[in-house]
Structures are given as structure tokens and as C-alpha cells.
Amino acid sequence: MRPMFSSRTDWDLLPSALSSLLSEKRMKGESIIDLADSNPTRCGIPHTPSSISPEIVRRSAVYEPDPRGLPAARQAIAAWYRSHGRPVDPEQIVLTSSTSEAYSFLLRLLCNVGESIAVPKPGYPLFEYLSRINDVAHRHYRLAYDGEWHIDFGSLGEALEAGVKGMIVVHPNNPTGSYVKVDEAGTIIKLLTAHPAALIVDEVFHSFPFGTSDRRAGSFAGTEDVLTFTVNGLSKLVALPQMKLAWIAVSGPRDLAKPALERLEIICDTYLSVSTPVQHAANGILKQQPLYTSRVRDRVMQNYNDLKRIIGVDSP
């Protein structure tokens, strides 16, 4: 009999033992304290009332779709980058409804069916799902630990030699929390230029460091030597995952960046998925970013210090 569903969705849908136990306790109405809950809307991160004002609702009644996103929203994002010392032209920015959608668009842009992308290990399991449902293979490059995390460039070289179309860098990485170092950033660009392959950098946690470090690389937005797609959004940046606005900042050699933007525009025009009200609200939301980022960072630092106190300072 011909199968009804595609092989790309042939996942193991059995719940884990932990998920089953959690469901059982919820069905019994037991009280649960979830120490792994990262949803800022449930973790007491204070926000001002709705960022969607009556004026924004009124303006949103007019439908004026722009495949790359409304100019005012892209200008607000460019201004935010400038405030952090990264010159990004609004015309180099493409809006998406989420970073997951941004990844899907970029995989479609870069890879034919069966071609591959390099992803970090340890890394975020989402990449494996996204690559599979976009008919793209993934190859791991390793993050090694010898007292601190660093990129294993031997494994990255193997992935590049195998013909990956691009490399995903999470800066800082989830789950290790490690930022790309300045010298590592230079090596990445050198390797990708030589092969060549595109660079996709996820910077959704970039604004949440513990302290400062001269060794830590800055944002990759505006990188000129290699075709670069820098991904960020409101979900983590201002603790507003429900607002559904993310973006891709495209940079690199003009002969690559220009056609990349033109092709992304067609992909975005096919879906037009970004909500109009959140685009109108983007400027006001991003102006409040330092306040919300500091609230999240303070909360995480408090949790971190509590954990150290409970476990003991000598624990690895």
C-alpha cells in the first residue's frame, strides 16, 4: 500500500519517560514546580501593558505588504544595530515571523534536496527537525571542552570538505552558553571563504552575557568577507515570544549578498507571514530593549548564583 505521509515527517512520536510522568501528574492535578521553564510570560518577567496601541491598530487596518517587511520596521532594526556599533542597511534586512521560519527560508535558499548544512554539537535539536522537513541533510561539527568551550575546527573542516552549503553558528551556543571567540570568528570566515560556504549566525542570546570579555566576538551582522545571514528577533531579545517578529540581516560580498536578498524576497513574498501590527510596533518595542534585557539577565544571574550556593562552589 502506498504510504499516506511523507518520510520527512516520520518522527518517533512516543513521549519520553519524563514527559509521560509530567503528563500523569498534571492529569492528577498535582502541583508542579518546573525548574526548566524558560517561557518569560510565565516566569515573572515584568512587561508594560500591550505594545500594540490603538494608533498601531488603526494603522494596521491598511494592508500594505512588503515582502522584506515594512520599511519602518526594518529601519527600526537597523537603528538598533547602529546603537550597538553594527552598521546594517535597512535594505539588507528581511523580516520573518520567527527565527525558525528564518532558518527554513535560508535552508531553501542555499540547499537543493539532499544537500547538507553544518550544525554544532552539542546544539539545539530544532536544527535536525528543520533540516529534515526542508529535505536538507545536516553534518555535525563539534564543540570541544577543555576547561572552556571552543570550536573543533578539524571536524568543521571535515564538514566543509564533504560539501556542506553553509555553517550554522549559535552565538552564544544553546545549550553550552559559549560565545564565539575573536580568533575563532576569524578562522570561521577564512575557512568559509576558501571552500566557499555561507555563514548563518543565530544571535538570539547575544545580548545576555555574564560580564564582559575582550576575547568574545561581537555581532556578525555586517560581515563583509563571506555571505552571512545574521538571525535575531523579539522572542529572546525583549522576552516577547508571542509577538512573532524576527529578522535576517544579510551581508557579504555584493555579488553574493545582492542575489541572496532578491531570492529571499521571492521566498518571503510567497508566504507574507509577518503580522502588520507587530511591524508597526517594532520601533517602540526595540527602544525598550535594554530594560527588558537587563530584567532577564538579572533573573538568570540570580538563578545562577542560587544554584552555585545550593550545589557548592567546588562543583564542576
Side-chain angles (χ1 to χ4, degrees):
M1 180 177 177
R2 186 177 65 182
M4 178 64 71
F5 302 109
S6 73
S7 60
R8 72 174 68 87
T9 60
D10 188 19
W11 297 300
D12 179 2
L13 300 178
L14 291 175
S16 67
L18 180 60
S19 296
S20 297
L21 178 61
L22 189 59
S23 296
E24 179 183 334
K25 288 184 173 293
R26 283 177 173 154
M27 288 180 66
K28 292 179 179 178
E30 295 185 24
S31 177
I32 297 168
I33 299 175
D34 186 355
L35 297 180
D37 194 346
S38 60
N39 182 339
T41 67
R42 292 200 300 252
C43 292
I45 305 299
H47 258 282
T48 55
S50 175
S51 301
I52 308 296
S53 67
E55 171 61 17
I56 286 175
V57 173
R58 185 190 66 77
R59 290 164 59 193
S60 300
V62 178
Y63 184 50
E64 298 176 309
D66 187 311
R68 297 192 191 187
L70 295 181
R74 290 187 281 117
Q75 289 163 9
I77 294 164
W80 177 80
Y81 274 117
R82 285 197 302 273
S83 72
H84 290 76
R86 309 303 297 185
V88 177
D89 191 311
E91 293 302 312
Q92 295 175 273
I93 294 171
V94 174
L95 305 189
T96 64
S97 63
S98 67
T99 53
S100 295
E101 184 176 69
Y103 277 119
S104 287
F105 288 180
L106 292 173
L107 290 174
R108 291 290 186 181
L109 172 72
L110 295 171
C111 299
N112 292 313
V113 173
E115 291 183 324
S116 58
I117 200 88
V119 301
K121 185 178 184 179
Y124 196 44
L126 177 68
F127 297 141
E128 298 182 11
Y129 284 90
L130 286 172
S131 60
R132 183 167 179 174
I133 61 177
N134 284 284
D135 300 312
V136 172
H138 62 272
R139 294 184 62 94
H140 290 119
Y141 67 90
R142 292 185 297 276
L143 301 181
Y145 185 80
D146 57 5
E148 64 178 3
W149 291 99
H150 58 88
I151 296 171
D152 176 357
F153 283 106
S155 63
L156 175 59
E158 292 172 3
L160 290 169
E161 289 295 335
V164 295
K165 299 297 292 293
M167 171 192 186
I168 293 177
V169 173
V170 187
H171 179 49
N173 182 261
N174 180 1
T176 67
S178 53
Y179 283 78
V180 177
K181 301 173 184 63
V182 172
D183 58 333
E184 290 178 322
T187 303
I188 288 170
I189 292 170
K190 186 176 180 180
L191 285 172
L192 297 188
T193 303
H195 273 84
L199 177 60
I200 302 171
V201 187
D202 184 329
E203 294 186 349
V204 297
F205 293 114
H206 192 264
S207 299
F208 300 94
F210 282 179
T212 59
S213 172
D214 292 338
R215 299 176 62 209
R216 185 183 299 141
S219 170
F220 282 78
T223 298
E224 296 181 349
D225 296 329
V226 64
L227 180 60
T228 303
F229 304 95
T230 308
V231 177
N232 209 330
L234 300 185
S235 177
K236 310 299 188 299
L237 189 62
V238 291
L240 285 173
Q242 71 274 38
M243 297 303 278
K244 308 307 294 180
L245 180 65
W247 58 83
I248 306 166
V250 182
S251 60
R254 179 172 172 76
D255 63 330
L256 294 175
K258 184 175 183 293
L261 280 162
E262 291 169 346
R263 293 174 182 229
L264 275 174
E265 182 171 328
I266 299 297
I267 294 173
C268 292
D269 197 26
T270 304
Y271 293 92
L272 291 176
S273 58
V274 186
S275 165
T276 299
V278 75
Q279 294 184 72
H280 283 304
N283 185 49
I285 293 172
L286 286 171
K287 284 182 177 178
Q288 301 178 65
Q289 176 264 321
L291 172 63
Y292 295 132
T293 297
S294 66
R295 287 174 176 173
V296 173
R297 190 164 48 228
D298 290 348
R299 174 63 177 276
V300 175
M301 181 63 82
Q302 176 187 328
N303 291 352
Y304 177 65
N305 288 331
D306 287 344
L307 184 64
K308 287 200 299 184
R309 185 169 58 254
I310 293 167
I311 292 178
V313 294
D314 295 329
S315 172

